[in-house]
Amino acid sequence: MQRLRTRRKALLALFASLMSSACQVDPFCIDCPGAEVDAGSEDGGMMDAPLVRIDAQGDAFSPDAYMLPDGCTPGAPELCNGHDDDCDRMVDEGIDLMTDVRNCGGCGMRCAPPNAFGICMNGNCRMGDCAAGYIDLDRDPANGCEYRCTATADREMRCDRRDEDCDGRVDEDFDLMNDVMNCGTCGRSCRLPRASAACRDGNCVLERCEDGYVDLDGMATNGCEYRCTPSSPPTERCNLQDDDCDGMIDEGNPEGGGMCGTDTGECVAGRRVCRGGRLECEGEVGPSDERCNNLDDDCDGRVDEGNPEGGRACGSSVGVCVPGREVCMGGRLECMGGVRPGMERCNGLDDDCDGMIDEGNPEGGGMCGTDTGE
């Protein structure tokens, strides 16, 4: 470029010199007799002077001094293409192949790494800063800034499935395997009804139920759904309550199964059964009132004790009879005491106590007297 300007200044100096030495012609004299003739061609006045023009940059140049190269345009920008684009008889001037990112090391060799600013140093293309919104994650200049990301923090601040620190990893600062607020995935909170929860291997698990509640169905999703307080120890009893909090009441015949009653006398022992919250003796034949039957009906180890069914009046008071009392003897009731009916005798008494006296000729009917002689 400095060379071009030097040449243009030389042309202007030449033009000024020629103008100062040109023929001074009287405007009313055409032939100018006596005028001195120069050694060159016929003096043409102003027309003999070189034609001077001003280019697009404001510099003077004379097309008579040199011919315009073919295909050029005065004042046009010079391109790196092996041609004189601006008609200054210089090719690709002003283009530094050592630093020009558009022509780095050679014409048309653009230094433009993908999504990054290029730097041309000594004709070699190097990657500069990444374009906004891009990161050189793999540190490979061949593919430029390949990772599209805009950092909003120095580390992961929220579990939101976004790479906030642009390190190529998403939510790496959150332990999705053990974080109760982000269990298995972002935003999945381990909050269970009436229970405390934990996150293990990415799954919400129930750790402990609130007092008065039990996890009956074993499903962590609904927490501790069964309202119950286990007894201490949690052993089922026959009381119409779920003492062991297993969802069942008095299951397994609690407190039952043992022998009940007695096998003494006519009694038969049974077994205890929990029924309706109470223990009952099932299959038992219990004691009954003692009867006069030579059996131990009341299962006390004695037979017919206490004159069972006895003590009532018995017999008759008709005639000579006097009533007695029933007494249990040998498993039968006997009428003891009093006067019992006897054989009717001829004594003016009702001996058989049938309300009649001497009926039927008692003691009579036998022969009396003698049939000897007359």
Side-chain angles (χ1 to χ4, degrees):
M1 183 62 72
Q2 183 63 33
R3 182 180 178 185
L4 175 60
R5 290 177 179 174
T6 302
R7 180 177 291 184
R8 288 175 177 173
K9 289 180 180 180
L11 289 173
L12 287 174
L14 176 62
F15 173 72
S17 175
L18 291 173
M19 290 297 293
S20 64
S21 62
C23 179
Q24 301 296 325
V25 179
D26 189 339
F28 300 102
C29 176
I30 298 176
D31 294 329
C32 295
E36 185 178 355
V37 179
D38 60 21
S41 60
E42 183 179 356
D43 194 350
M46 291 292 291
M47 297 301 295
D48 291 339
L51 179 62
V52 177
R53 295 180 180 175
I54 304 300
D55 61 15
Q57 285 73 34
D59 296 328
F61 74 96
S62 174
D64 292 336
Y66 56 91
M67 297 299 293
L68 295 176
D70 293 337
C72 71
T73 301
E78 188 69 16
L79 305 177
C80 188
N81 54 10
H83 298 287
D84 182 11
D85 301 287
D86 56 2
C87 305
D88 63 354
R89 294 188 180 276
M90 291 184 290
V91 175
D92 300 341
E93 75 280 2
I95 297 174
D96 188 355
L97 300 181
M98 296 293 100
T99 61
D100 191 346
V101 294
R102 294 170 297 178
N103 304 280
C104 188
C107 289
M109 298 177 65
R110 292 180 59 84
C111 180
N115 308 313
F117 297 99
I119 300 175
C120 184
M121 298 179 63
N122 298 324
N124 295 313
C125 181
R126 297 183 181 179
M127 189 178 75
D129 294 336
C130 291
Y134 288 90
I135 301 291
D136 180 20
L137 188 62
D138 60 6
R139 302 299 179 183
D140 182 4
N143 60 359
C145 298
E146 81 290 350
Y147 186 49
R148 187 171 184 176
C149 182
T150 300
T152 59
D154 294 334
R155 63 183 183 88
E156 297 295 317
M157 303 298 295
R158 295 183 301 272
C159 189
D160 54 6
R161 302 179 184 86
R162 295 181 181 180
D163 187 3
E164 295 173 276
D165 53 4
C166 293
D167 63 353
R169 297 176 295 169
V170 176
D171 301 330
E172 71 275 8
D173 294 329
F174 294 90
D175 186 0
L176 301 183
M177 295 293 100
N178 300 285
D179 189 349
V180 294
M181 300 305 295
N182 302 280
C183 188
T185 185
C186 288
R188 184 187 180 194
S189 176
C190 292
R191 294 180 179 176
L192 304 178
R194 296 172 294 275
S196 59
C199 179
R200 295 175 186 165
D201 298 326
N203 295 307
C204 291
V205 296
L206 190 151
E207 279 199 325
R208 181 181 179 278
C209 291
E210 293 180 3
D211 292 341
Y213 289 91
V214 174
D215 178 24
L216 185 61
D217 59 9
M219 298 175 58
T221 53
N222 60 355
C224 299
E225 79 289 351
Y226 184 49
R227 187 170 185 175
C228 182
T229 301
S231 61
S232 181
T235 303
E236 195 71 11
R237 296 164 55 196
C238 185
N239 55 7
L240 280 181
Q241 296 181 19
D242 188 2
D243 301 286
D244 54 4
C245 293
D246 63 353
M248 297 181 288
I249 295 176
D250 295 348
E251 74 280 3
N253 190 28
E255 300 181 283
M259 296 291 293
C260 55
T262 179
D263 286 327
T264 303
E266 296 301 301
C267 291
V268 177
R271 289 192 176 274
R272 290 188 181 90
V273 176
C274 178
R275 183 176 291 118
R278 298 179 61 183
L279 287 173
E280 297 181 357
C281 193
E282 187 176 69
E284 175 193 24
V285 177
S288 60
D289 293 337
E290 191 72 10
R291 296 167 58 194
C292 185
N293 54 9
N294 207 27
L295 298 175
D296 184 6
D297 300 289
D298 58 3
C299 307
D300 64 354
R302 295 176 295 169
V303 176
D304 295 345
E305 76 279 3
N307 189 28
E309 300 182 281
R312 293 186 299 252
C314 58
S316 174
S317 60
V318 177
V320 297
C321 290
V322 177
R325 294 284 177 180
E326 290 182 338
V327 176
C328 179
M329 297 182 65
R332 297 179 61 181
L333 288 172
E334 299 287 344
C335 193
M336 301 296 290
V339 177
R340 297 182 184 184
M343 294 291 295
E344 189 71 13
R345 296 169 58 195
C346 183
N347 56 5
L349 297 174
D350 183 6
D351 300 290
D352 58 4
C353 304
D354 63 357
M356 294 181 291
I357 297 174
D358 296 343
E359 73 280 6
N361 189 24
E363 298 181 287
M367 292 296 293
C368 61
T370 179
D371 56 1
T372 303
E374 292 292 325

